[in-house]
Amino acid sequence: MCYELSEKYIDTFSTDMLKIIYCKRGCHLGGYMVKKFSDQIDQLKKNFEAVSGTQSIPFSELFNNQFLAECSSFTSLKDMFNKSGFSVETKEDFTAIPDQAWEDFITQNTSYSSWKEMQVDAGRKYIKKMLNKGM
């Protein structure tokens, strides 16, 4: 299963990341620091290009073990599906789950107030991780 990541999340996050990098490193720009900062900007550009546009992201990457541990008692995506009471082996299995039943499960078993909120946060954290790659 994959999740469609929209450019909207990437654009919002990349602007915030550039501000953070500038604030963290921009105040101490001397010879070596300028080179290091320039290298980091180059890496950030490469990372941004890698995540730009709409991509398909496997559910297991988006809702990885660390993400699920931070917002629930689930140890993995498989654990979450098993505890949901729904048999989920394929994308079709997941889409067959009644929307309200899944919404109720997410709100009762995670720190999120909706499935949409959980998806958005997972997308933001995924983008942040990908933009920070190699930094």
Side-chain angles (χ1 to χ4, degrees):
M1 281 189 296
C2 292
Y3 180 80
E4 296 299 317
L5 186 63
S6 74
E7 203 168 323
K8 171 179 78 173
Y9 298 124
I10 296 169
D11 291 342
T12 301
F13 185 77
S14 62
T15 302
D16 292 343
M17 278 302 295
L18 286 174
K19 288 177 190 173
I20 290 167
I21 289 171
Y22 178 77
C23 291
K24 284 185 176 177
R25 298 177 181 96
C27 301
H28 305 286
L29 296 179
Y32 174 74
M33 291 300 290
V34 170
K35 171 82 171 105
K36 187 173 179 179
F37 183 70
S38 177
D39 291 346
Q40 289 174 332
I41 291 296
D42 290 343
Q43 183 64 49
L44 183 61
K45 285 179 186 176
K46 287 178 189 174
N47 293 350
F48 180 74
E49 288 171 6
V51 296
S52 290
T54 301
Q55 297 183 355
S56 291
I57 303 166
F59 255 45
S60 58
E61 283 185 43
L62 194 62
F63 301 103
N64 60 62
N65 297 353
Q66 180 182 353
F67 174 82
L68 291 171
E70 291 172 0
C71 70
S72 70
S73 63
F74 305 124
T75 58
S76 67
L77 188 60
K78 184 176 182 172
D79 180 44
M80 182 173 77
F81 287 148
N82 286 340
K83 290 179 179 172
S84 74
F86 298 102
S87 176
V88 180
E89 299 295 328
T90 65
K91 180 180 180 179
E92 291 75 23
D93 292 341
F94 183 73
T95 57
I97 298 171
D99 291 342
Q100 192 58 52
W102 186 252
E103 183 77 20
D104 293 344
F105 174 75
I106 293 300
T107 60
Q108 293 168 10
N109 293 282
T110 71
S111 59
Y112 295 100
S113 60
S114 71
W115 170 231
K116 181 174 177 98
E117 179 186 8
M118 186 174 176
Q119 292 174 78
V120 168
D121 193 40
R124 285 184 179 142
K125 287 178 178 178
Y126 176 83
I127 292 169
K128 181 178 181 180
K129 178 181 173 184
M130 297 312 293
L131 286 175
N132 282 319
K133 196 173 186 178
M135 300 283 281

